[in-house]
Amino acid sequence: MTAIDYDLEFLEDGRTIELISIGMVCDDGREYYAVNSDADWDRVRKNDWLMQNVWPHLPLRGHKSGLVTVGGKVQTRLTEPGVVDTTNTQVKPRWVIANEVRDFIQATDDPALWANCGAYDFVALAQLWGPLVRRPKGVPVRTNDIQQERARLGVAWDELPQQESGEHNALADARHNQFVRRWLAEQEARTP
Ligand SMILES: [Mg+2]
């Protein structure tokens, strides 16, 4: 088994899930990151949570940032959102991302997918290729969940290693997922 830890940022409204960005890291050392140029950016812009947490990590142009006081703390925040920078090579049409993610997974020896609270991540991943049954050959039908592994090992949620930076950047999140999964495996190895 070769683990692929991944994370998606997405726009969801209780009925649909739409890909914004995807990050994948494989235990063989490869990494992948892409931003969906076909995302409905008008709807993303209307979503305050996405604009605060996800948007600042995307490749942008025409944006401005400044110091803003939030809850008594001075933070750097975007004061002008700008637009997603479609001249950045990480920004790609969804069909290109579907092909590249397929190739990434198919290049993996006996792949096992891992995500953190990954139910929605897996749905948005599988929908890259349409209905679940249209998954390309070799793409697993399910994702292992770091939180299930945590619970199985009797580790409390707040005992997990914390992410230092980049939370909600899909690639930073995928790297952190890999770190946490490996940390959990070490805890298990240490248990007599
Ligand atoms: Mg994330």
Side-chain angles (χ1 to χ4, degrees):
M1 283 281 198
T2 308
I4 297 173
D5 294 273
Y6 73 99
D7 183 68
L8 271 63
E9 301 301 332
F10 44 77
L11 172 66
E12 69 99 3
D13 58 7
R15 292 180 61 86
T16 60
I17 303 179
E18 188 174 353
L19 174 70
I20 293 175
S21 58
I22 178 170
M24 308 184 97
V25 298
C26 182
D27 268 353
D28 62 17
R30 289 172 302 129
E31 293 191 339
Y32 180 77
Y33 177 71
V35 175
N36 178 16
S37 61
D38 294 325
D40 186 341
W41 297 114
D42 290 337
R43 280 181 68 213
V44 171
R45 281 168 171 283
K46 288 178 189 147
N47 184 306
D48 287 343
W49 189 89
L50 290 174
M51 290 307 288
Q52 280 204 10
N53 295 287
V54 174
W55 181 271
H57 298 296
L58 300 174
L60 301 174
R61 62 186 162 83
H63 59 294
K64 289 190 185 123
S65 46
L67 296 175
V68 177
T69 307
V70 182
K73 284 187 188 164
V74 179
Q75 296 182 352
T76 306
R77 282 274 174 96
L78 286 180
T79 50
E80 283 285 341
V83 293
V84 170
D85 184 2
T86 50
T87 66
N88 186 304
T89 53
Q90 293 175 324
V91 182
K92 303 169 183 189
R94 194 172 177 279
W95 67 267
V96 173
I97 297 173
N99 287 344
E100 291 180 345
V101 169
R102 176 202 63 205
D103 290 353
F104 187 95
I105 295 173
Q106 287 181 339
T108 309
D109 180 31
D110 193 13
L113 298 174
W114 282 84
N116 185 38
C117 302
Y120 276 34
D121 298 81
F122 181 70
V123 171
L125 178 83
Q127 285 186 341
L128 280 173
W129 306 288
L132 187 61
V133 292
R134 294 258 308 274
R135 288 181 338 285
K137 197 167 186 294
V139 174
V141 70
R142 66 180 188 86
T143 288
N144 297 282
D145 204 297
I146 286 168
Q147 293 299 335
Q148 182 170 357
E149 184 67 353
R150 173 195 64 71
R152 188 180 74 82
L153 296 173
V155 175
W157 192 305
D158 59 8
E159 287 176 320
L160 292 176
Q162 299 294 305
Q163 189 165 347
E164 297 291 332
S165 64
E167 196 171 1
H168 304 303
N169 170 320
L171 182 58
D173 289 359
R175 286 172 179 160
H176 183 68
N177 287 350
Q178 183 187 60
F179 182 81
V180 172
R181 178 181 52 77
R182 289 175 172 178
W183 182 87
L184 284 169
E186 282 171 25
Q187 307 310 304
E188 183 175 34
R190 268 192 221 136
T191 310

